[in-house]
Amino acid sequence: MIICFLLLSVILFVIPVSCAAVFFLCLPYFLISERKRRIGLSLSGCVSYFSALAAAGISPENICVSVCSSETDGFFDDIRPEFSEILKQVRFFGKDFRTAVLERAERTVSPELSDFLSGTADVIDSGGDFSAFLRERKKECMRQSEIRQRRKMQSADLYAETASIVFLGAPMFFLILFYLMAPLSGNQDRMITVLTYVIIPGTGLIFLIIAEPPE
């Protein structure tokens, strides 16, 4: 009896602690992934905005100021902190704009934004045509957006097929199996209850966690 009590105590302690440890270890990864995803989604529109202002002869630094202004509220909320950090380095720490852009390119979590900022710094350094650079970058962002949407549709198809198998086929299979085994192994009400109230909801929760958020 004492051994069972100790074993139960260990299980009740180890399982919650392990779940909490896994949660806190995985949380930064999920936050970074979500941040990277949101920046990637906002980058295409931001580059188009850059291109439109650059065609009017506005400098890259002033374009960053425009992106961070209140006039663009609701458009670049996910990517605005990146450019705000660039302006902060210029205004408060006295760094030149190119250096601040390169530092942000090294620190951002998004490879796409890092590549864009690095290209911007190279154009500023070489004195090249910023408008032409942005036009090419806009085309590249559109291609990447199409690829991302195509992958999203493929993932949605896969999730739909998985959900139909897990939530429709598997429960029906096990219910039929339990009823067929009832004459041999006795009452299967407990197993059916566990399947209905534990396994199916738990599987649904896992499915919601691993499924990609809508874009």
Side-chain angles (χ1 to χ4, degrees):
M1 184 68 180
I2 297 177
I3 296 177
C4 294
F5 176 76
L6 292 176
L7 182 60
L8 181 61
S9 301
V10 170
I11 293 175
L12 293 178
F13 173 77
V14 170
I15 293 178
V17 171
S18 301
C19 293
V22 171
F23 173 77
F24 285 109
L25 287 175
C26 295
L27 182 60
Y29 169 77
F30 285 116
L31 292 178
I32 292 174
S33 298
E34 177 66 10
R35 175 75 178 153
K36 186 188 303 182
R37 185 186 70 86
R38 289 184 175 275
I39 290 176
L41 292 176
S42 301
L43 184 59
S44 178
C46 186
V47 172
S48 298
Y49 185 77
F50 262 72
S51 179
L53 294 185
I58 301 177
S59 65
E61 184 173 353
N62 288 330
I63 295 176
C64 286
V65 173
S66 179
V67 169
C68 298
S69 66
S70 59
E71 297 177 355
T72 59
D73 286 345
F75 293 98
F76 310 120
D77 293 342
D78 295 319
I79 203 171
R80 178 181 295 168
E82 304 290 335
F83 294 102
S84 297
E85 187 64 29
I86 293 174
L87 296 178
K88 184 189 299 182
Q89 295 294 324
V90 173
R91 293 173 176 175
F92 297 104
F93 296 97
K95 297 180 180 179
D96 62 278
F97 182 72
R98 177 184 173 278
T99 301
V101 169
L102 283 177
E103 289 182 355
R104 195 69 240 163
E106 295 176 356
R107 296 178 181 177
T108 183
V109 298
S110 172
E112 297 175 0
L113 179 60
S114 177
D115 185 54
F116 171 70
L117 293 177
S118 298
T120 300
D122 291 339
V123 172
I124 295 173
D125 191 35
S126 63
D129 189 349
F130 191 51
S131 296
F133 164 76
L134 290 174
R135 285 194 297 269
E136 292 299 323
R137 184 63 61 173
K138 182 170 65 174
K139 295 178 182 178
E140 179 64 24
C141 288
M142 292 179 64
R143 286 194 293 267
Q144 292 296 330
S145 179
E146 292 177 358
I147 294 173
R148 190 182 296 110
Q149 292 298 327
R150 192 178 301 114
R151 290 177 179 174
K152 182 65 179 179
M153 294 301 297
Q154 293 174 353
S155 299
D157 292 339
L158 177 61
Y159 291 144
E161 294 176 1
T162 304
S164 62
I165 294 174
V166 172
F167 296 110
L168 295 178
M172 293 181 63
F173 170 78
F174 283 110
L175 286 174
I176 295 173
L177 181 63
F178 290 153
Y179 279 113
L180 292 177
M181 292 176 59
L184 301 177
S185 57
N187 193 359
Q188 297 291 331
D189 291 342
R190 180 175 299 177
M191 294 299 299
I192 294 175
T193 302
V194 171
L195 175 67
T196 304
Y197 296 104
V198 177
I199 297 179
I200 295 178
T203 306
L205 180 61
I206 295 174
F207 180 80
L208 291 176
I209 292 174
I210 65 174
E212 293 184 9
E215 297 183 359

